[in-house]
Amino acid sequence: MGRLPLPLLQDIRAFLPRAGQINAESRHQLSRDLLRRTLPHVAPAPPPGTPPEEFLAAVLAERSRRDEMRLRRAQERQQELAAEVRAVPFSA
């Protein structure tokens, strides 16, 4: 999965929580549009028959998981660097 454009992420995040409140026809149209916009950034494509909303939710979940892993690695690296700095003797 590649990076999703910020406007697309925002649109998916805005759509999913309120999907149940949207007219069925509009909901279907919006979910298909979001799916169409998401597919160029995801491989492989979802299996045939996958509901668009489920796929979009899975994409967001995976994106969140990857972002969390990236942040965790950055924090670990920052802690390693801080330990190295503390270990280096300072000369006067």
Side-chain angles (χ1 to χ4, degrees):
M1 176 178 353
R3 287 195 173 253
L4 298 175
L6 184 58
L8 176 57
L9 275 173
Q10 291 170 332
D11 289 347
I12 295 171
R13 287 183 178 138
F15 168 73
L16 288 175
R18 65 184 180 93
Q21 302 166 354
I22 300 173
N23 166 294
E25 186 177 324
S26 297
R27 178 179 179 171
H28 180 73
Q29 185 177 0
L30 284 168
S31 66
R32 298 293 298 171
D33 178 61
L34 290 169
L35 175 66
R36 179 189 54 77
R37 292 170 51 201
T38 302
L39 286 176
H41 307 283
V42 179
T50 302
E53 289 176 42
E54 288 182 21
F55 179 71
L56 295 169
V59 166
L60 280 188
E62 179 61 16
R63 182 83 267 144
S64 294
R65 186 189 71 78
R66 290 181 183 198
D67 289 345
E68 184 178 329
M69 286 177 48
R70 189 173 19 265
L71 285 172
R72 189 174 297 133
R73 282 193 306 265
Q75 289 172 340
E76 289 169 359
R77 181 64 183 141
Q78 186 178 23
Q79 291 171 352
E80 291 170 4
L81 289 172
E84 288 176 22
V85 168
R86 285 190 299 271
V88 174
F90 291 97
S91 58

